[in-house]
mmCIF file of all heavy atoms in Angstrom:
data_model
loop_
_atom_site.group_PDB
_atom_site.id
_atom_site.type_symbol
_atom_site.label_atom_id
_atom_site.label_comp_id
_atom_site.label_asym_id
_atom_site.label_seq_id
_atom_site.Cartn_x
_atom_site.Cartn_y
_atom_site.Cartn_z
ATOM 1 N N HIS A 541 -8.425 -17.067 -6.848
ATOM 2 C CA HIS A 541 -8.081 -18.486 -6.981
ATOM 3 C C HIS A 541 -7.459 -19.071 -5.724
ATOM 4 O O HIS A 541 -7.205 -20.258 -5.640
ATOM 5 C CB HIS A 541 -7.112 -18.675 -8.151
ATOM 6 C CG HIS A 541 -7.616 -18.062 -9.409
ATOM 7 N ND1 HIS A 541 -8.655 -18.601 -10.124
ATOM 8 C CD2 HIS A 541 -7.272 -16.913 -10.050
ATOM 9 C CE1 HIS A 541 -8.920 -17.829 -11.177
ATOM 10 N NE2 HIS A 541 -8.098 -16.795 -11.151
ATOM 11 N N ILE A 542 -7.153 -18.194 -4.756
ATOM 12 C CA ILE A 542 -6.490 -18.678 -3.546
ATOM 13 C C ILE A 542 -7.521 -19.328 -2.631
ATOM 14 O O ILE A 542 -8.622 -18.813 -2.461
ATOM 15 C CB ILE A 542 -5.747 -17.515 -2.841
ATOM 16 C CG1 ILE A 542 -4.644 -16.984 -3.759
ATOM 17 C CG2 ILE A 542 -5.175 -17.964 -1.501
ATOM 18 C CD1 ILE A 542 -3.938 -15.732 -3.258
ATOM 19 N N ASP A 543 -7.161 -20.477 -2.094
ATOM 20 C CA ASP A 543 -8.101 -21.177 -1.212
ATOM 21 C C ASP A 543 -7.320 -21.955 -0.163
ATOM 22 O O ASP A 543 -6.100 -22.104 -0.242
ATOM 23 C CB ASP A 543 -8.990 -22.119 -2.034
ATOM 24 C CG ASP A 543 -10.312 -22.437 -1.319
ATOM 25 O OD1 ASP A 543 -10.517 -21.946 -0.185
ATOM 26 O OD2 ASP A 543 -11.125 -23.174 -1.895
ATOM 27 N N ILE A 544 -8.042 -22.434 0.821
ATOM 28 C CA ILE A 544 -7.462 -23.259 1.880
ATOM 29 C C ILE A 544 -8.489 -24.332 2.195
ATOM 30 O O ILE A 544 -9.688 -24.050 2.239
ATOM 31 C CB ILE A 544 -7.110 -22.401 3.121
ATOM 32 C CG1 ILE A 544 -6.435 -23.240 4.216
ATOM 33 C CG2 ILE A 544 -8.317 -21.663 3.666
ATOM 34 C CD1 ILE A 544 -5.860 -22.389 5.353
ATOM 35 N N ASP A 545 -8.034 -25.589 2.351
ATOM 36 C CA ASP A 545 -9.000 -26.640 2.671
ATOM 37 C C ASP A 545 -9.083 -26.830 4.183
ATOM 38 O O ASP A 545 -8.373 -26.173 4.947
ATOM 39 C CB ASP A 545 -8.684 -27.944 1.918
ATOM 40 C CG ASP A 545 -7.423 -28.618 2.421
ATOM 41 O OD1 ASP A 545 -6.936 -28.274 3.523
ATOM 42 O OD2 ASP A 545 -6.910 -29.503 1.708
ATOM 43 N N GLU A 546 -9.948 -27.761 4.609
ATOM 44 C CA GLU A 546 -10.191 -27.902 6.044
ATOM 45 C C GLU A 546 -8.979 -28.433 6.805
ATOM 46 O O GLU A 546 -8.938 -28.387 8.027
ATOM 47 C CB GLU A 546 -11.415 -28.793 6.289
ATOM 48 C CG GLU A 546 -11.245 -30.203 5.739
ATOM 49 C CD GLU A 546 -12.578 -30.902 5.556
ATOM 50 O OE1 GLU A 546 -13.618 -30.211 5.529
ATOM 51 O OE2 GLU A 546 -12.580 -32.125 5.421
ATOM 52 N N ASN A 547 -7.992 -28.955 6.063
ATOM 53 C CA ASN A 547 -6.755 -29.397 6.701
ATOM 54 C C ASN A 547 -5.680 -28.320 6.693
ATOM 55 O O ASN A 547 -4.528 -28.574 7.038
ATOM 56 C CB ASN A 547 -6.228 -30.654 6.007
ATOM 57 C CG ASN A 547 -7.240 -31.790 6.110
ATOM 58 O OD1 ASN A 547 -7.788 -32.041 7.179
ATOM 59 N ND2 ASN A 547 -7.523 -32.431 4.984
ATOM 60 N N GLY A 548 -6.044 -27.120 6.240
ATOM 61 C CA GLY A 548 -5.090 -26.020 6.256
ATOM 62 C C GLY A 548 -4.183 -25.986 5.043
ATOM 63 O O GLY A 548 -3.201 -25.244 5.014
ATOM 64 N N ARG A 549 -4.503 -26.757 4.005
ATOM 65 C CA ARG A 549 -3.661 -26.797 2.812
ATOM 66 C C ARG A 549 -4.080 -25.676 1.860
ATOM 67 O O ARG A 549 -5.244 -25.589 1.459
ATOM 68 C CB ARG A 549 -3.809 -28.157 2.134
ATOM 69 C CG ARG A 549 -2.683 -28.484 1.183
ATOM 70 C CD ARG A 549 -2.804 -29.941 0.706
ATOM 71 N NE ARG A 549 -1.649 -30.334 -0.071
ATOM 72 C CZ ARG A 549 -0.512 -30.765 0.465
ATOM 73 N NH1 ARG A 549 -0.391 -30.866 1.768
ATOM 74 N NH2 ARG A 549 0.506 -31.093 -0.323
ATOM 75 N N ILE A 550 -3.125 -24.842 1.491
ATOM 76 C CA ILE A 550 -3.416 -23.682 0.647
ATOM 77 C C ILE A 550 -3.203 -24.024 -0.813
ATOM 78 O O ILE A 550 -2.253 -24.726 -1.171
ATOM 79 C CB ILE A 550 -2.542 -22.482 1.090
ATOM 80 C CG1 ILE A 550 -3.096 -21.929 2.413
ATOM 81 C CG2 ILE A 550 -2.490 -21.396 0.009
ATOM 82 C CD1 ILE A 550 -2.283 -20.831 3.018
ATOM 83 N N SER A 551 -4.087 -23.535 -1.670
ATOM 84 C CA SER A 551 -3.923 -23.708 -3.112
ATOM 85 C C SER A 551 -4.106 -22.360 -3.802
ATOM 86 O O SER A 551 -4.587 -21.408 -3.200
ATOM 87 C CB SER A 551 -4.957 -24.710 -3.650
ATOM 88 O OG SER A 551 -6.259 -24.293 -3.274
ATOM 89 N N GLY A 552 -3.695 -22.303 -5.068
ATOM 90 C CA GLY A 552 -3.939 -21.094 -5.854
ATOM 91 C C GLY A 552 -2.828 -20.066 -5.796
ATOM 92 O O GLY A 552 -2.948 -18.996 -6.390
ATOM 93 N N THR B 46 -5.424 -28.161 13.025
ATOM 94 C CA THR B 46 -5.582 -29.254 12.058
ATOM 95 C C THR B 46 -4.787 -30.487 12.480
ATOM 96 O O THR B 46 -4.923 -31.544 11.884
ATOM 97 C CB THR B 46 -5.137 -28.828 10.649
ATOM 98 O OG1 THR B 46 -3.720 -28.562 10.661
ATOM 99 C CG2 THR B 46 -5.871 -27.584 10.188
ATOM 100 N N LEU B 213 -11.862 -24.553 10.570
ATOM 101 C CA LEU B 213 -11.574 -23.860 9.312
ATOM 102 C C LEU B 213 -12.785 -23.839 8.384
ATOM 103 O O LEU B 213 -13.045 -22.832 7.716
ATOM 104 C CB LEU B 213 -10.391 -24.529 8.597
ATOM 105 C CG LEU B 213 -9.020 -23.925 8.877
ATOM 106 C CD1 LEU B 213 -7.908 -24.824 8.335
ATOM 107 C CD2 LEU B 213 -8.910 -22.535 8.238
ATOM 108 N N ALA B 214 -13.548 -24.933 8.360
ATOM 109 C CA ALA B 214 -14.729 -24.976 7.489
ATOM 110 C C ALA B 214 -15.766 -23.948 7.954
ATOM 111 O O ALA B 214 -16.352 -23.230 7.139
ATOM 112 C CB ALA B 214 -15.320 -26.388 7.481
ATOM 113 N N LEU B 216 -15.099 -21.284 9.693
ATOM 114 C CA LEU B 216 -14.516 -19.960 9.414
ATOM 115 C C LEU B 216 -14.855 -19.536 7.983
ATOM 116 O O LEU B 216 -15.305 -18.404 7.745
ATOM 117 C CB LEU B 216 -12.995 -20.006 9.594
ATOM 118 C CG LEU B 216 -12.251 -18.707 9.250
ATOM 119 C CD1 LEU B 216 -12.446 -17.665 10.345
ATOM 120 C CD2 LEU B 216 -10.755 -18.975 9.048
ATOM 121 N N LYS B 217 -14.655 -20.439 7.027
ATOM 122 C CA LYS B 217 -14.939 -20.096 5.633
ATOM 123 C C LYS B 217 -16.420 -19.804 5.428
ATOM 124 O O LYS B 217 -16.791 -18.879 4.703
ATOM 125 C CB LYS B 217 -14.485 -21.229 4.714
ATOM 126 C CG LYS B 217 -12.983 -21.285 4.553
ATOM 127 C CD LYS B 217 -12.526 -22.487 3.761
ATOM 128 C CE LYS B 217 -12.870 -22.364 2.289
ATOM 129 N NZ LYS B 217 -12.208 -23.458 1.518
ATOM 130 N N LEU B 220 -17.010 -16.343 6.819
ATOM 131 C CA LEU B 220 -16.395 -15.307 5.974
ATOM 132 C C LEU B 220 -17.216 -15.094 4.714
ATOM 133 O O LEU B 220 -17.441 -13.946 4.292
ATOM 134 C CB LEU B 220 -14.969 -15.720 5.596
ATOM 135 C CG LEU B 220 -13.922 -15.708 6.712
ATOM 136 C CD1 LEU B 220 -12.627 -16.376 6.237
ATOM 137 C CD2 LEU B 220 -13.641 -14.283 7.186
ATOM 138 N N THR B 242 -13.830 -15.598 -0.354
ATOM 139 C CA THR B 242 -13.805 -16.468 0.829
ATOM 140 C C THR B 242 -12.478 -17.214 1.007
ATOM 141 O O THR B 242 -11.879 -17.195 2.087
ATOM 142 C CB THR B 242 -14.962 -17.489 0.747
ATOM 143 O OG1 THR B 242 -16.168 -16.775 0.514
ATOM 144 C CG2 THR B 242 -15.078 -18.286 2.031
ATOM 145 N N GLY B 243 -12.020 -17.863 -0.041
ATOM 146 C CA GLY B 243 -10.808 -18.676 0.060
ATOM 147 C C GLY B 243 -9.584 -17.856 0.394
ATOM 148 O O GLY B 243 -8.773 -18.242 1.254
ATOM 149 N N ALA B 244 -9.447 -16.714 -0.251
ATOM 150 C CA ALA B 244 -8.277 -15.863 -0.006
ATOM 151 C C ALA B 244 -8.294 -15.332 1.427
ATOM 152 O O ALA B 244 -7.259 -15.290 2.096
ATOM 153 C CB ALA B 244 -8.241 -14.708 -1.006
ATOM 154 N N LEU B 245 -9.470 -14.935 1.911
ATOM 155 C CA LEU B 245 -9.555 -14.428 3.285
ATOM 156 C C LEU B 245 -9.206 -15.531 4.281
ATOM 157 O O LEU B 245 -8.456 -15.316 5.241
ATOM 158 C CB LEU B 245 -10.963 -13.893 3.581
ATOM 159 C CG LEU B 245 -11.459 -12.739 2.710
ATOM 160 C CD1 LEU B 245 -12.837 -12.282 3.185
ATOM 161 C CD2 LEU B 245 -10.482 -11.571 2.716
ATOM 162 N N ALA B 246 -9.734 -16.727 4.047
ATOM 163 C CA ALA B 246 -9.446 -17.842 4.958
ATOM 164 C C ALA B 246 -7.952 -18.190 4.913
ATOM 165 O O ALA B 246 -7.351 -18.487 5.945
ATOM 166 C CB ALA B 246 -10.293 -19.056 4.593
ATOM 167 N N ALA B 247 -7.351 -18.132 3.714
ATOM 168 C CA ALA B 247 -5.913 -18.423 3.609
ATOM 169 C C ALA B 247 -5.110 -17.398 4.404
ATOM 170 O O ALA B 247 -4.112 -17.745 5.050
ATOM 171 C CB ALA B 247 -5.485 -18.427 2.141
ATOM 172 N N LEU B 248 -5.554 -16.139 4.373
ATOM 173 C CA LEU B 248 -4.864 -15.100 5.150
ATOM 174 C C LEU B 248 -4.994 -15.355 6.656
ATOM 175 O O LEU B 248 -4.193 -14.844 7.444
ATOM 176 C CB LEU B 248 -5.429 -13.716 4.814
ATOM 177 C CG LEU B 248 -4.966 -13.114 3.478
ATOM 178 C CD1 LEU B 248 -5.824 -11.903 3.117
ATOM 179 C CD2 LEU B 248 -3.496 -12.719 3.535
ATOM 180 N N LEU B 249 -5.993 -16.123 7.051
ATOM 181 C CA LEU B 249 -6.223 -16.389 8.481
ATOM 182 C C LEU B 249 -5.738 -17.775 8.897
ATOM 183 O O LEU B 249 -6.023 -18.230 10.003
ATOM 184 C CB LEU B 249 -7.717 -16.223 8.798
ATOM 185 C CG LEU B 249 -8.291 -14.828 8.542
ATOM 186 C CD1 LEU B 249 -9.809 -14.823 8.685
ATOM 187 C CD2 LEU B 249 -7.667 -13.789 9.485
ATOM 188 N N LYS B 250 -5.008 -18.438 8.025
ATOM 189 C CA LYS B 250 -4.564 -19.810 8.284
ATOM 190 C C LYS B 250 -3.886 -19.958 9.648
ATOM 191 O O LYS B 250 -4.182 -20.879 10.400
ATOM 192 C CB LYS B 250 -3.589 -20.248 7.186
ATOM 193 C CG LYS B 250 -3.005 -21.629 7.431
ATOM 194 C CD LYS B 250 -1.899 -22.011 6.452
ATOM 195 C CE LYS B 250 -1.267 -23.320 6.928
ATOM 196 N NZ LYS B 250 -0.342 -23.909 5.966
ATOM 197 N N GLN B 251 -2.963 -19.078 9.971
ATOM 198 C CA GLN B 251 -2.286 -19.169 11.272
ATOM 199 C C GLN B 251 -3.078 -18.453 12.362
ATOM 200 O O GLN B 251 -3.046 -18.857 13.522
ATOM 201 C CB GLN B 251 -0.871 -18.578 11.201
ATOM 202 C CG GLN B 251 0.131 -19.412 10.404
ATOM 203 C CD GLN B 251 0.339 -20.820 10.960
ATOM 204 O OE1 GLN B 251 -0.104 -21.139 12.057
ATOM 205 N NE2 GLN B 251 0.989 -21.657 10.178
ATOM 206 N N ILE B 253 -6.104 -18.401 13.041
ATOM 207 C CA ILE B 253 -7.172 -19.184 13.670
ATOM 208 C C ILE B 253 -6.626 -20.160 14.719
ATOM 209 O O ILE B 253 -7.373 -20.658 15.568
ATOM 210 C CB ILE B 253 -8.027 -19.928 12.609
ATOM 211 C CG1 ILE B 253 -9.368 -20.347 13.232
ATOM 212 C CG2 ILE B 253 -7.279 -21.103 12.028
ATOM 213 C CD1 ILE B 253 -10.327 -21.006 12.287
#
Side-chain angles (χ1 to χ4, degrees):
Chain A
H541 308 288
I542 297 173
D543 203 359
I544 183 170
D545 70 16
E546 61 200 18
N547 299 314
R549 199 172 187 84
I550 286 175
S551 54
Chain B
T46 65
L213 266 169
L216 176 75
K217 286 174 72 171
L220 290 170
T242 308
L245 300 183
L248 283 167
L249 299 171
K250 176 188 172 171
Q251 289 300 349
I253 198 177

